[in-house]
Amino acid sequence: QERLDEFLQVYAVEKTKIEARRNGYSVTEQSLKDGSIKLSLTSGAG
């Protein structure tokens, strides 16, 4: 189950980054101490 959860997290992060960039956002990824991943999206317009 732990490996499945890790896989799903990585998949979700990559899918989010692809879609965000496709829609004009800049993406920053940060790994947190608890094993989670924080994504920051910045609008390219402005």
Side-chain angles (χ1 to χ4, degrees):
Q1 182 63 46
E2 188 174 323
R3 299 268 316 197
L4 177 60
D5 291 343
E6 181 181 339
F7 171 79
L8 291 173
Q9 180 183 36
V10 170
Y11 175 83
V13 165
E14 292 304 317
K15 181 67 173 168
T16 301
K17 289 178 358 184
I18 289 167
E19 291 301 322
R21 289 185 179 126
R22 184 177 290 159
N23 287 293
Y25 290 89
S26 164
V27 182
T28 304
E29 181 177 340
Q30 179 182 9
S31 296
L32 303 178
K33 291 180 183 179
D34 67 358
S36 62
I37 299 171
K38 176 181 179 180
L39 294 179
S40 299
L41 298 128
T42 306
S43 176

